[in-house]
Amino acid sequence: MNKKIMSILLVLCVFFAEAQSGKPKLRFAFMTDIHLNYKNKGNCFEGFQKALKKVEKSNVEFILLGGDLVDVDKLNKNYNRADSLYTAFKAELNKSSLSIYPAIGNHDRFFDEEKGYTKGDELFNKHFKQSYYTFEKKNVRFFVLNSVQRGDKEGYYYNKEQINWLNDNLKTISPETPIIVVTHVPIYSLYYPVVEGRYVFLDVVNNYKELLEAFKGYNLKLVLQGHQHLYEEIYSQDVQYITAGAISAAWWYGPFYGTKEGFLTVDVDSANKIKWEYIDYGWKHTIEP
């Protein structure tokens, strides 16, 4: 029996073993909108550690972070303070034994009063990696995107360079490969109808149609979103969009419009069907000063 046939048989054995056991082939956590702040308001560092410990006990293989990790966008010209907040956040992450894949959020961009945001991802790139990238786990392809490429008036968008990069990477994978996307700013959201009772084109990515056009002909299964601090599910054209509630809820001072502090666990089974659960990790918030 040659090596190719043996390899195929091994894959089939693993497939049927997983199917019979009922265990997912892949299980991970999605944590978003942590909002660690420089003054530790709301005891945010303690809360984040409690969330990480709960994730560690959830039998996940790795963690996706959905952006707004640290609040550096209002530190103005104090680069050293912004840099130290990123360093403190990385120290918290290093307490976990799990692999962690972060996305950038609008609050993760260092703002300079004189220069503006420029690209805004310089500090993020210094402490992590490129602000958009791709990786694969057990034949599931992940695209972690930068949805906060913006000026002061244009709104949030994926710039042309990132769209071109996405198209080039999609050409390297099979159309059958299941795809999961992480974006901080949502593609679809009902935040404003829920919170304010009105439909308005705010706090979603402006060129979402251009992004979704890139995935035509590919097996996009799930989009994980942040930014809104509300938990919502939208299913459209065979794609599930989930805006996860925030680790910080109402910025560490209790539930936000009914969504408690929490994170998602996501299971992908051997047939690439996806299930998820929003988990309240039991944080007891302080009273807002």
Side-chain angles (χ1 to χ4, degrees):
M1 186 180 297
N2 62 40
K3 291 183 178 179
K4 184 175 181 180
I5 294 175
M6 290 180 65
S7 177
I8 293 172
L9 288 174
L10 179 59
V11 169
L12 289 173
C13 286
V14 171
F15 174 88
F16 286 115
E18 289 175 342
Q20 290 177 353
S21 68
K23 293 182 180 179
K25 74 170 183 178
L26 186 63
R27 180 176 173 85
F28 62 90
F30 178 59
M31 308 172 74
T32 188
D33 293 88
I34 298 161
H35 289 281
L36 290 191
N37 61 78
Y38 186 74
K39 294 183 178 180
N40 194 30
K41 291 181 180 179
N43 295 322
C44 59
F45 280 84
E46 180 185 347
F48 181 44
Q49 270 306 309
K50 183 165 187 174
L52 274 178
K53 289 177 182 177
K54 183 73 173 181
V55 168
E56 291 271 0
K57 296 177 181 179
S58 300
N59 297 316
V60 299
E61 298 177 39
F62 61 94
I63 300 172
L64 293 171
L65 299 179
D68 279 2
L69 314 175
V70 289
D71 288 344
V72 301
D73 60 322
K74 290 183 170 58
L75 292 178
N76 297 324
K77 291 184 286 186
N78 199 329
Y79 179 89
N80 290 336
R81 182 169 291 182
D83 188 54
S84 68
L85 184 53
Y86 262 106
T87 299
F89 177 64
K90 284 287 295 292
E92 296 300 311
L93 292 182
N94 289 339
K95 295 175 183 178
S96 173
S97 61
L98 297 168
S99 297
I100 297 174
Y101 300 88
I104 188 172
N106 51 300
H107 288 279
D108 301 318
R109 302 170 305 169
F110 177 66
F111 180 78
D112 189 298
E113 286 183 338
E114 295 177 355
K115 298 179 181 178
Y117 283 112
T118 59
K119 286 187 176 180
D121 62 358
E122 294 86 357
L123 262 179
F124 181 91
N125 292 343
K126 173 184 175 181
H127 287 273
F128 295 107
K129 54 180 71 177
Q130 290 295 323
S131 59
Y132 54 91
Y133 54 96
T134 184
F135 65 95
E136 193 163 305
K137 297 279 189 180
K138 297 182 179 177
N139 199 37
V140 177
R141 177 61 69 97
F142 292 81
F143 285 94
V144 179
L145 303 181
N146 180 347
S147 59
V148 294
Q149 297 172 316
R150 62 165 291 181
D152 292 330
K153 297 180 180 179
E154 295 89 347
Y156 298 108
Y157 66 96
Y158 309 104
N159 68 15
K160 186 61 66 176
E161 179 184 356
Q162 185 174 185
I163 294 293
N164 290 340
W165 167 87
L166 176 62
N167 282 316
D168 288 342
N169 274 273
L170 285 170
K171 292 175 184 176
T172 68
I173 68 175
S174 165
E176 290 78 31
T177 300
I179 295 171
I180 295 175
V181 165
V182 177
T183 175
H184 177 68
V185 178
I187 293 173
Y188 294 136
S189 175
L190 292 173
Y191 175 92
Y192 282 94
V194 170
V195 173
E196 298 185 5
R198 64 190 180 112
Y199 283 91
V200 60
F201 193 73
L202 291 172
D203 286 312
V204 291
V205 178
N206 281 359
N207 61 335
Y208 68 94
K209 287 187 177 180
E210 185 179 10
L211 178 80
L212 295 177
E213 185 69 27
F215 287 105
K216 281 192 174 179
Y218 292 92
N219 191 18
L220 178 60
K221 306 280 288 185
L222 175 65
V223 177
L224 296 171
Q225 310 176 141
H227 192 56
Q228 310 292 43
H229 292 228
L230 292 177
Y231 179 71
E232 60 179 346
E233 301 177 10
I234 298 175
Y235 185 72
S236 176
Q237 296 180 310
D238 296 326
V239 181
Q240 186 74 51
Y241 301 82
I242 303 177
T243 305
I247 290 293
S248 63
W251 293 265
W252 297 106
Y253 293 114
F256 186 68
Y257 289 97
T259 299
K260 295 182 178 180
E261 300 89 347
F263 60 89
L264 285 181
T265 57
V266 182
D267 295 338
V268 184
D269 70 14
S270 55
N272 294 319
K273 291 182 179 179
I274 300 175
K275 295 181 179 179
W276 58 90
E277 181 181 4
Y278 186 67
I279 296 175
D280 170 11
Y281 63 91
W283 176 243
K284 302 298 183 184
H285 64 278
T286 59
I287 298 174
E288 185 173 3

